[in-house]
């Protein structure tokens, strides 16, 4: 087997990535996501010579290509990003000195392009399914069932999320839980009669301290209060406050421990009330879900002359957590090599695009040949 068997011209990859990056698609804007889906669909139609199924759930547009009757290999990615519309003005698309930049290029529009090019180069597509969702960055609320239904019965799920540092494949991921604490107090004039109020901001502070104490560094559990709001004016005792909480864990036992503790939170200030919403979002992706596929990828990389592959465990979760949670062999991080996901320095290493696309094609062919 040689690398030229599945190599894709860098110029073709770059042209298609540029097209996707220039179509901004923040997750919360269903119109923008629908326009992005049109662009992805057109790209797939040109490369694969077939239309995708357009699946709209709760206003969010997802795309699916199926080849053959029963899917055996699922290529999984998303076309939404964390970048708001207008980000191209401050973070323009560019390719300089072998580095591609632009909002969402690394996470993960390059991966979507790589998936479609790899599928186009595959020797046999029968049994292949490609699913490109539109709400991964906000927890996949509308696409989770679609992902799980498509993955059931598959021999392998290849996730085109960007690689870890140095191009490592993501063979273990933390599970994620997302909560919101809503606090109700009672407003009063902060100068004239603050004693008549119940300060929702102070109650929120008590809850933040209780939540932060749920961390367990030895087990790698992080419980992080994030977005916080309280009050209306500077001279009013806050009547309402809210706190978002991000939880990451390596094992399900910890995920359930934190969930129970969150449900057991109680108000501290007399007269205040709290409500807890949210819960477990993604189960952990355990190493045993990816080990066999990583070994296969390492063997193929050697045959293709791509050098040794490395594996990484990361705190971020992906839709691969869902498929691994079903017991489906799942290998993540097969997308772009680069860095700066969600950050100003988001970038992709151009030279790695055809190499990793060739590896993905070889993986598809190897699994479907069995």
């Amino acid at each position: 087997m040689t690398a030229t068997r599945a190599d894709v011209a860098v110029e073709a990859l770059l042209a298609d990535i540029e097209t996707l990056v220039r179509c901004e698609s923040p997750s919360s804007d269903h119109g923008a996501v629908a326009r992005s889906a049109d662009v992805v669909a057109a790209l797939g139609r040109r490369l694969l010579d077939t239309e995708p199924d357009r699946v709209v759930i709760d206003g969010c547009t997802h795309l699916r290509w199926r080849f053959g009757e029963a899917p055996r290999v699922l290529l999984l990615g998303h076309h939404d990003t964390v970048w708001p519309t207008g980000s191209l003005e401050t973070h323009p698309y560019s390719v300089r000195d072998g580095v591609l930049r632009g909002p969402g290029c690394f996470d993960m529009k390059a991966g979507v392009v790589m998936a479609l090019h790899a599928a186009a180069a595959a020797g046999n597509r029968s049994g292949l399914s490609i699913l490109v969702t539109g709400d991964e960055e906000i927890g996949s609320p509308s696409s989770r069932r679609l992902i799980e239904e498509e993955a059931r019965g598959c021999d392998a799920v290849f996730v085109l999320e960007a690689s870890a540092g140095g191009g490592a494949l993501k063979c273990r991921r933390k599970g994620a839980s997302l909560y919101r604490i809503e606090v109700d107090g009672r407003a009063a004039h902060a100068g004239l009669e603050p004693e008549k109020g119940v300060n929702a901001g102070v109650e929120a502070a008590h809850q933040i301290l209780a939540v932060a104490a749920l961390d367990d560094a030895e087990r790698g559990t992080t419980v992080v209060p994030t977005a916080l709001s309280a009050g209306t004016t500077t001279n009013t005792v806050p009547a309402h406050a809210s706190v978002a909480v991000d939880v990451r864990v390596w094992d399900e036992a910890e995920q359930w421990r934190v969930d129970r503790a969150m449900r057991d939170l109680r108000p501290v200030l007399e007269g205040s009330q709290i409500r807890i919403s949210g819960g477990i979002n993604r189960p952990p992706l355990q190493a045993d879900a990816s080990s066999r596929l990583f070994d296969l990828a390492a063997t193929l990389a050697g045959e293709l002359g791509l050098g040794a592959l490395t594996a990484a465990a990361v705190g971020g979760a992906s839709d691969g957590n869902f498929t691994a949670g079903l017991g489906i062999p799942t290998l993540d991080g097969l997308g772009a090599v680069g860095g700066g996901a969600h950050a100003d320095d988001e970038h992709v290493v151009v030279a790695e695009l055809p190499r990793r696309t060739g590896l993905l094609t070889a993986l598809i062919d190897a699994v479907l040949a069995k």
Side-chain angles (χ1 to χ4, degrees):
M1 183 184 297
T2 63
T4 57
R5 175 175 177 271
D7 271 354
V8 181
V10 174
E11 292 77 10
L13 284 163
L14 291 179
D16 290 337
I17 293 170
E18 179 177 3
T19 300
L20 262 62
V21 170
R22 290 191 182 280
C23 183
E24 296 177 297
S25 53
S27 310
S28 59
D29 185 338
H30 286 168
V33 170
R35 289 189 292 274
S36 173
D38 289 340
V39 173
V40 176
L43 172 59
R45 181 169 57 249
R46 172 171 61 80
L47 290 170
L48 304 173
D49 197 31
T50 187
E51 291 282 350
D53 298 323
R54 188 178 298 263
V55 184
V56 180
I57 305 173
D58 297 333
C60 187
T61 306
H62 317 291
L63 299 174
R64 178 181 60 202
W65 284 266
R66 281 180 177 168
F67 301 92
E69 295 184 2
R72 293 181 52 216
V73 172
L74 172 62
L75 306 186
L76 183 57
H78 65 90
H79 66 107
D80 61 312
T81 77
V82 301
W83 294 88
T85 299
S87 294
L88 280 167
E89 296 178 11
T90 55
H91 298 74
Y93 176 89
S94 68
V95 180
R96 295 191 186 93
D97 300 323
V99 177
L100 182 157
R101 300 182 187 275
C105 64
F106 183 62
D107 185 12
M108 58 157 283
K109 293 197 173 184
V112 171
V113 171
M114 293 165 67
L116 295 173
H117 277 262
N124 171 30
R125 294 181 208 159
S126 181
L128 178 65
S129 178
I130 306 169
L131 182 60
V132 183
T133 65
D135 61 356
E136 191 274 346
E137 295 291 4
I138 55 173
S140 308
S142 72
S143 62
R144 176 174 182 171
R145 180 175 295 180
L146 181 65
I147 292 164
E148 293 177 337
E149 288 176 352
E150 200 65 17
R152 284 191 174 92
C154 282
D155 297 323
V157 175
F158 297 124
V159 185
L160 273 297
E161 289 283 358
S163 68
L169 300 186
K170 295 173 178 176
C171 294
R172 190 182 180 202
R173 282 185 180 271
K174 284 186 176 182
S177 302
L178 305 171
Y179 299 91
R180 180 168 294 277
I181 305 172
E182 301 284 346
V183 181
D184 291 322
R186 184 168 61 248
H189 194 292
L192 294 176
E193 43 190 13
E195 71 282 356
K196 292 187 177 180
V198 177
N199 195 314
V202 173
E203 179 62 52
H206 284 292
Q207 299 302 322
I208 288 171
L209 293 174
V211 164
L214 298 175
D215 262 8
D216 189 332
E218 289 187 2
R219 301 193 68 171
T221 299
T222 59
V223 184
V224 183
T226 56
L228 166 67
S229 65
T232 52
T233 67
T234 58
N235 60 352
T236 303
V237 173
H240 182 75
S242 67
V243 183
V245 181
D246 180 289
V247 180
R248 307 289 170 134
V249 301
W250 286 122
D251 64 84
E252 288 191 68
E254 273 292 272
Q255 202 162 33
W256 285 109
R257 176 188 71 82
V258 174
D259 186 76
R260 289 191 296 270
M262 291 293 299
R263 309 291 177 192
D264 287 341
L265 290 172
R266 295 293 181 267
V268 174
L269 300 183
E270 184 177 353
S272 66
Q273 296 180 327
I274 65 171
R275 300 183 303 280
I276 311 297
S277 59
I280 293 172
N281 177 252
R282 291 178 169 94
L285 191 164
Q286 303 289 6
D288 58 2
S290 60
S291 58
R292 180 177 61 82
L293 293 177
F294 178 81
D295 290 344
L296 174 61
T299 298
L300 293 172
E303 294 175 358
L304 289 165
L306 302 181
L309 292 181
T310 56
V314 298
S318 82
D319 287 339
N321 291 59
F322 293 139
T323 62
L326 294 174
I328 309 298
T330 300
L331 186 59
D332 204 338
L334 284 161
V337 176
H342 301 190
D344 289 340
D345 66 337
E346 183 170 10
H347 65 279
V348 171
V349 178
V350 172
E352 291 294 333
L353 288 169
R355 291 162 53 85
R356 296 299 280 259
T357 304
L359 175 61
L360 179 61
T361 300
L363 282 165
I364 295 168
D365 286 343
V367 176
L368 290 181
K370 294 180 179 179

